[in-house]
Each structure stands twice: as C-alpha cells, then as structure tokens.
Amino acid sequence: MPIYKRLLHVLTAFVLTPALAPAPASAADIDWPTYGRDHSNQRYATLDQINTSNVGRLTRAWAYQSGVKATFQATPIMVGRTVFLSLPFNDVVALDAVTGKSLWRYTHPRKKDYPLCCGPANRGVAVADGRVFIGTVDARLVALDAKSGKVLWDVEVADGDSARSESVATLTESDPLRKATIAGQSGVGIAMAPVVHRGKVLIGVTGVGYGLHLDSDRDGAPLGAVVGFAGNYGRPGFLAAFDVNTGKRIWQFDTIAPTRWEGEFRQATPDGVPLHRDIDKERADLPKYPDAARYGGGSAWSTPAIDSENGLLYFGTGNPSPQMDGSSRPGDNLYTVSLVCLEVETGKIRWHYQQVPHDQWGYDVASPAVLFDYPYKGQRVPAVGQAAKIGWYYIHNRLNGELLLKSDEFVVHQNTFTNPTPEGQVILPGVLGGINWSPTSVDAQRLIAYVPAIHWPVKYTKRAIPATPDRPAVEYTTLEPLMDVPRWGVLSAIDLASGRMKWQRQTAQPLVGGVLATAGQLVFMGEGNGSFNAYDAATGQTLWSDRLEAGVNAPPVTWQIDGVQYVAVAAGGNQIFGYKAGDTFQVYTLGK
C-alpha cells in the first residue's frame, strides 16, 4: 500500500536550580567517563558484580523523567557520582548517580525556526576539565560548568544557512509524492557526542548529504521514504577540534577531498563487490559538473575513537550529496562513506577506506569505530574495527588502513548496489542498514564483537516529473522502507579472529540503540517495543528482561559506586523507526 497519503505542497526546499556538591568518590567507584567508556570505544566494562548467575535479580533502582518525549539516543556519562545526561533538543541534566536526585538542568535556547536536519536527538555529552560539552541540533558547541550547569561558552560550529538549497522542481498533481509530508530538512546540525582529548573537543556536523525525508501516513509509523534529486544541493561536512577553555577552532578536516574527489572511478568496492556503475558515462559527464564537490556531503556521524599512543583518531563519514542520485556527482566522491584516520593534533588525513564509492543507497559509515589489538600473521597488530551498514564487520591495521579481515555477513544480503527502476528494485540492507548509528561492543580479550543489526528491505525507485512548457522534465529517486514484508532485528556475536558468527539472536523488531558488554559475561540491549534485555555473552540466551513504556533505543552503560554496580539506559523511542516516544532514564541494580 503506498505510504504517501498527505499533501506535499510544492518541493521548494530540498531542501536552573542551585548546584549540589557531588559526594566524595570512593576507591570502589568506577565511572563511565566518555561516550565509548574510553577512547577505544569498546563499550566493554570490567565490572562483574552483575553476572550470568544473578542477573535475574536485577531490579529498578531509580528513574528520571525529563518531560521531553522525543527520540532519545543519548549515552549517559557518569563521573564523580554524577550522571550527565543530554535530552532531545539538547537540554542537559545532572543527576545524583545513586539516588537520581536532580542537581541542575540546562535548557538549550535553540535558534528560532532553525530547520532540523535529523530530528531532535543527540547522542550525548563529553565531560572533562570541570566542563560538560554538547553539540546541538542547531550546529553549536556549548560548554557548561559541571558543578552548576552555567554556560561557559557557546560557539557556532557551522552556518546552517549554507546547506539550504532550493529546487526549481514542482511535482504535478498526479505524482504520488504530492501526498506526503516533508520530515527532514537541510539545516546543518550535530548528532554525535563530542569527545575530549588533550585540551581539544572533537565534534562533527550532519545534515550535509542532501535528501528529503518523507513522513509515513500514520503517527508512530516509521520513516516513509527518502527522496533524492540530482543537482547542487548540500555542502561539505567536516570534523573539527575546539579549545576546551575558549571554544576557539583549532583545526577542521573537510570530509570532501580538496582535489580529485572523483577518485579512481572504481567498478567495485575495495573488497570486490560490483557496484554496477556506468564508468564511461561518469567520466564523460565529469566536465559538466565542475562544482559538484562544493555540495559534496559526507556528514560526520560517529564519535571518533582515539589512539593516544600514536596520536590518531578514527571516524566514519556519510553519503555524498545529493543522496541516491549520483548523476550530478560523477566519480567516487572522496571521502564520503569512508572510515577516515586523522592526526589528532593537526587534523591531517593519514588514510581512508571508502566502503562504497559513489554511494547511491545511503550506506553511511555510521556506527562508531572501535580500537583493539589484533593477532595477524603471527603478530599483534594495532587494529580498528567498524560494523558497516552494508552488513559486514571490517578490521583494518589502524596505522596504515590495510584491510585485515572482512567478516561473514551479519545480515542476509538479498540484493545490494543495484540501480533504481520505474518498477522499483528491492535492496537489502537498505538505507536503514545493516547496522545504523548504533555503537557496538568489543570484548578485546576474547576477540568478540557484539553487533545490533537490522533486517528491513527497501524499494529503490526511479520516478519522473514530466516536462511543462516552462521547465524540463526532472527525474528523482526514492528509497522506501517496505511495510508489507517481514522485518526483524539480529544481535550477533562475531568471532573477530575468524570473522564467523559465534551466535545470532533474532528479535521481533529491527535493532537500533547500541549494546553494552561486561565482564559478568552479559550483553545488554534494548528494543523498540520497550524491552530491555540481558543476554548470555557466550550463547545469546536471554537471561533477564524488563519492559519499559517507550522504545529502548539508546546505548546502555554501567558504573559502580561504593561497591554497587548499576546499569542504566534511556527509553525514549525512535521516530524514524516508528518506536514509541518517551522521556525516561532508567537505572537498575541487584535486588535482594
């Protein structure tokens, strides 16, 4: 049944309370101090008080309800017995980590009428040097005093106006897309949680890989479709470093190559999967689009992993702009859809690995990179792993980018990298992934990665706006998540030594939100139906579950205070996936 039920008028836009002093820390306290627990992004906790033998006694300790019911993706930070939690639309709260008592709340004064590129969600704060840092939906970086919530500085990261573009295309009355509602717009924003390293706050922007997001025809239903037009829409993305004390920009790395962004015109991905490109036509068309890189896209979605010893960082880039229609951007479109390695001090690029050259399917490198040591040809190699939207786990030498291993598929591939047709081609994984932005966990001792994934086919269709006397015909494409086919989630334990699956656990709904693994041999993961589950890390068996009133679509964390281990997660749903919204931050500990 078509999803487009409501009017799309004309496509003219493609486009505080007093602070309380924290309780003194105990030698038994173990924090969750940064987005990925540490700069490796492993999201693996050495705590084992809660384990396979007693997790059935896990009970609710306290909860905080924010009053903001919207897509909730934040990783909470716990430092010095205080939880720092970012809310949808970028409010920040500080809570007592033992009791849940509110210490202060910062209310973000969002720019009036600012077009949100990607909804209200953000993925967390960074805490360092007595400050709390948050990137905002209106493309600002704000520093707060950690004790009071007072604003210390507030700087513009990007000019949102520079990404807005207009189209001359107007849909005819008979076109089915006239009956839809625009959900996504083209303002630049920030989704990732910042990370602090040696006096620098690292943050990147999203919303630059231009495309229209259309609402479904039902409240609480998933994203209706993504629509792509050829043309000069969008702008280059970037990752930047700012001084923690002043907010001054130190360096900026643009995710679009400054020269020869067309690359090598690859016929296949670097690991050998055919892309079905018309390379001769692209080469012939290249002179027609000399300014394509100025609109190149490449959002920075994932919080970087940092190798302090070697002074390197690793992050993923998004799709080229405009989305899905590559005719106005011939070539490989470097450095989009890539895992990128930079020098932390300078922002200079060391290497990149482009998973999908000339991406037309929305296969952003969205899930954060993870660092670990890896046995390879009899040696211990410093490695970086990344779970890809296209359904494989990649392991690289993190010093030079060499591909060391590509895992077996963690989702079944029915059809990938196919071109759109008027009838529509079903592809899987689709624009939702594989894996989406969800962070993975890695047990570096056992060399196991825990990956939450999505089985959700989409239809890739080419459409046309007929010519009229005053304008030419316009072609466009749509990627529509299919509602009349089975879809589900898959939680996988991947043996990184071999690339094979140790176990897989299918869930009723596609998984988005992230996982936590612990030394208690447990893996925690939430679902869109409100279930929050603990799995046996060795077998995938469900050992414990709680049901919350909203979708559990944020990454769980754990900490320890006075010898007591806590597990915590936000339950606020996810609009794009159609999961019920909420405003709860729930904390658990062992009952009697």
Side-chain angles (χ1 to χ4, degrees), residues 470-495:
D470 58 345
R471 60 159 171 74
V474 178
E475 290 189 340
Y476 61 99
T477 56
T478 63
L479 279 172
E480 178 184 343
L482 295 176
M483 302 301 296
D484 57 351
V485 300
R487 54 189 187 275
W488 57 81
V490 181
L491 179 60
S492 301
I494 304 176
D495 183 336

Side-chain angles (χ1 to χ4, degrees), residues 75-121:
T75 291
I77 301 299
M78 201 292 286
V79 177
R81 298 185 166 215
T82 301
V83 174
F84 300 93
L85 179 67
S86 61
L87 308 178
F89 299 107
N90 302 121
D91 288 6
V92 180
V93 296
L95 308 170
D96 184 289
V98 175
T99 67
K101 184 175 182 178
S102 178
L103 306 179
W104 54 256
R105 180 164 177 163
Y106 160 77
T107 302
H108 180 61
R110 194 168 79 254
K111 296 177 186 175
K112 186 177 180 181
D113 300 325
Y114 191 89
L116 304 186
C117 86
C118 315

Side-chain angles (χ1 to χ4, degrees), residues 257-341:
T259 59
R260 294 191 56 78
W261 95 302
E262 65 273 15
E264 302 175 15
F265 290 87
R266 290 179 175 269
Q267 288 277 14
T269 64
D271 48 305
V273 183
L275 291 169
H276 309 297
R277 294 168 63 181
D278 188 341
I279 297 296
D280 290 339
K281 185 177 187 307
E282 286 187 45
R283 290 187 183 276
D285 285 347
L286 186 62
K288 300 178 185 178
Y289 303 100
D291 297 326
R294 289 178 52 198
Y295 309 93
S299 293
W301 287 108
S302 55
T303 298
I306 301 174
D307 179 343
S308 296
E309 180 180 351
N310 292 295
L312 301 174
L313 69 82
Y314 307 84
F315 76 105
T317 62
N319 56 266
S321 184
Q323 285 184 321
M324 300 180 305
D325 191 319
S327 59
S328 61
R329 47 174 174 84
D332 297 344
N333 311 141
L334 303 177
Y335 303 106
T336 63
V337 193
S338 297
L339 181 63
V340 179
C341 172

Side-chain angles (χ1 to χ4, degrees), residues 108 111 133-136 138-143 151-158 190 201 203 241-243 245-249:
H108 180 61
K111 296 177 186 175
F133 304 93
I134 185 168
T136 71
D138 49 357
R140 291 146 64 187
L141 180 61
V142 182
V151 176
L152 299 176
W153 50 258
D154 180 340
V155 298
E156 297 277 357
V157 174
I190 296 172
V201 188
I203 198 78
F242 297 83
D243 185 276
N245 295 312
T246 66
K248 181 181 178 180
R249 193 180 307 247

Side-chain angles (χ1 to χ4, degrees), residues 24-98:
S26 160
D29 292 358
I30 299 177
D31 294 346
W32 188 283
T34 191
Y35 176 75
R37 197 195 66 82
D38 59 21
H39 285 158
S40 73
N41 275 351
Q42 289 180 7
R43 287 184 175 265
Y44 179 85
T46 56
L47 299 175
D48 61 2
Q49 181 182 98
I50 302 169
N51 54 56
T52 56
S53 67
N54 61 20
V55 69
R57 295 179 11 228
L58 204 60
T59 60
R60 299 182 186 186
W62 57 264
Y64 172 79
Q65 291 182 294
S66 70
V68 182
K69 291 189 176 183
T71 301
F72 205 171
Q73 299 176 351
T75 291
I77 301 299
M78 201 292 286
V79 177
R81 298 185 166 215
T82 301
V83 174
F84 300 93
L85 179 67
S86 61
L87 308 178
F89 299 107
N90 302 121
D91 288 6
V92 180
V93 296
L95 308 170
D96 184 289
V98 175

